[in-house]
Structures are given as C-alpha cells and as structure tokens.
Amino acid sequence: MSGSAHTSDARGAAWPATEAEARAVQEQLRPRVELADRAPAPGTPGTVLAGVDVAYDDTHDVVAAAAVALDGGTHEVVARATAYARVPFPYVPGLLAFRELPAVLDALERLGRVPDLVVCDGYGLAHPRRFGLASHLGVLTGLATVGVAKTPFVFRHGPVGAARGDSAPLLDGTEEVGRALRTREGVRPVFVSVGHRVSLDSACAHTLSLARRYRLPETTRRADALCREALREAATRQTGESRSPGEEGRAAATGRP
DNA sequence: GCGACAG
DNA sequence: ATCTTGTCGC
C-alpha cells in the first residue's frame, strides 16, 4: 500500500503514525471546536459529570483508561468503566491526545451513560495549536469537555489570590488561553481551559464545584484511582497466573480481560 | 543549535 | 506518566 501512512487504533479508526501527521490532524480538527456553552449549571441534580484518566505500563506497552460518572448534584459515583489498549503514540508535548484518546474513547463508550460534561486531565484550548486533548475529545464525541491540568505547561500567569476561587489569566503572550484557579487555600492552583461546548467561566465554576476537599476535581481523582487499579489488576493477572512466556507483552488490546 | 515541555 | 524514603502536618 502506498500513500497515507495512517494506521488503525484499537477502535478501528484512522490514527496518525508520525508527529507531522498528528499535528496535521490537530490543525484539521481545530476549527470544529464550539465555544457556545452547552454544559449544565454546576450542582444540577440528575446531570452526569464524567472524569477520564489513563495510567501506563511502559514495560508492557499498555495503557489503561477509566471513565467515571458522578451525579451533578451529589457528586456520587453513578457509573464506572475501564478499557485497555496498546500505547498508540509516544509522549510528545503537544500531542498527548494521540497517546491517551483511543483508550479513553473506549472507556467512555463502556460507561453506558452520556455525560453532560467531561473533565479531562490536561488542556483544551491552552495548547500550542489551541487543540489539547480536552478539545480533541470534545470534537470527536460532541460532548462538552473541560481541561484541568496540574502544571502551567508552556504558559504564564500572574499571582493568584490566596482564597479558594481566586484566579489569574493563563496567558500565551497576551492571549488568555485558560485560567490558573485556586481550588483550595494554601494549595497550588490548577490550570483550567475550555475543551468543547463550554465557556471558561463555566469550566472554572465546574472545577471549583468538583474540587472542594482536594485540589483536583473529584471526577479526575476517581478516574485516576480507577485506571491505576485497573492497571494493577492487569499486571497481577499476568504475573500471578498465566506464566506463559510467549504471551507476556501482549496484554489485551482492548476491553476488560 | 540548546533547553522547555500537559501526561 | 512512572521510579522512590522519609518527613511534616492535620
């Protein structure tokens, strides 16, 4: 076969094989980001707020993803799902979505609920090409998404007030691409940006609402715990049970083994 | 050319 | 992300 060098991911969709192709995909999809806010008001009972996250096992080349759904009113868990995949792309700053999204999309499908908002671990519009993983996930699924990251990446911000809820613009030069938001007193801020179908104000309001007791939103904390647990169990299942030397690095390509 | 660099 | 001991504090 000549021509396109695209390959297939675990879900059967085209996936870039090189950094140049990945950047081209971002440039192509970026115009599809919608800025109109379609997220529910924070605290609305009956709405579904989802968190997604992934964990890696580099030695086995496996990524485990988790999706957790919380009720918008009580923040109690109403659904959980996991998925596995071969790591489909190397870590390259600015191309994180190509490493995480196949497994995340799979986990979201298995969730059995359609979230009203998805909170991602990383950035949305706060991205060198304005298309971080939160925006990418939103465009691919049509879901409202926000990005909440733990570090400022390549961006700058002024001082953030000491009180919970205080914030400062996250700047790419003079352009506000997100917000440094303090979710707890005496704790480093988190870095919020728009993913898809949400406003920055709404993204920050949801982040604040979901992060009362801890720095990070409850959605990402739950998803983080779940994908780590899934990865541990996958490792245990291989080591402790089937000792077949030939079958090791080839853990399930997808699904719950 | 040399660092910096979401997770 | 992941590798890793102890330490300070509620």
Side-chain angles (χ1 to χ4, degrees):
Chain A
M1 300 218 188
S2 56
S4 167
H6 287 257
T7 181
S8 253
D9 71 75
R11 303 168 59 259
W15 211 248
T18 68
E19 296 184 24
E21 287 177 3
R23 285 189 292 268
V25 169
Q26 291 180 329
E27 300 286 6
Q28 183 194 331
L29 294 181
R30 171 178 54 183
R32 297 208 222 164
V33 173
E34 296 174 19
L35 300 180
D37 197 324
R38 299 184 38 163
T44 307
T47 59
V48 175
L49 308 179
V52 294
D53 195 18
V54 302
Y56 299 97
D57 181 341
D58 286 322
T59 67
H60 288 174
D61 197 36
V62 170
V63 51
V68 178
L70 309 189
D71 178 81
T74 64
H75 293 178
E76 289 183 4
V77 177
V78 297
R80 313 192 315 158
T82 58
Y84 300 86
R86 299 297 291 271
V87 177
F89 207 85
Y91 172 66
V92 180
L95 300 179
L96 185 61
F98 299 96
R99 189 167 164 81
E100 307 206 332
L101 284 194
V104 165
L105 289 166
D106 202 350
L108 270 176
E109 286 176 2
R110 291 163 178 269
L111 193 54
R113 305 286 306 258
V114 177
D116 297 292
L117 181 71
V118 181
V119 180
C120 299
D121 200 352
Y123 281 116
L125 294 183
H127 179 275
R129 288 169 294 282
R130 303 294 180 269
F131 199 70
L133 66 88
S135 298
H136 201 145
L137 178 63
V139 165
L140 258 37
T141 61
L143 299 171
T145 61
V146 309
V148 181
K150 298 181 284 294
T151 73
F153 198 10
V154 296
F155 305 107
R156 300 301 193 206
H157 63 84
V160 182
R164 166 177 157 82
D166 285 348
S167 69
L170 191 62
L171 299 172
D172 186 352
T174 157
E175 180 183 356
E176 180 178 33
V177 295
R179 214 167 271 166
L181 174 67
R182 191 164 326 266
T183 55
R184 295 202 68 194
E185 206 175 307
V187 174
R188 287 181 301 134
V190 298
F191 305 90
V192 181
S193 59
V194 167
H196 185 60
R197 294 185 167 184
V198 73
S199 68
L200 185 53
D201 281 343
S202 180
C204 288
H206 270 103
T207 300
L208 209 50
S209 168
L210 285 162
R212 291 227 146 70
R213 181 168 179 140
Y214 301 97
R215 177 168 86 117
L216 295 176
E218 206 57 36
T219 38
T220 64
R221 296 188 71 256
R222 299 277 190 175
D224 178 78
L226 181 55
C227 65
R228 290 192 197 211
E229 177 189 319
L231 202 59
R232 281 201 311 273
E233 290 177 355
T236 301
R237 190 178 334 103
Q238 294 179 1
T239 305
E241 292 162 26
S242 51
R243 285 264 59 199
S244 25
E247 288 186 327
E248 285 178 4
R250 178 176 73 51
T254 184
R256 269 187 136 158

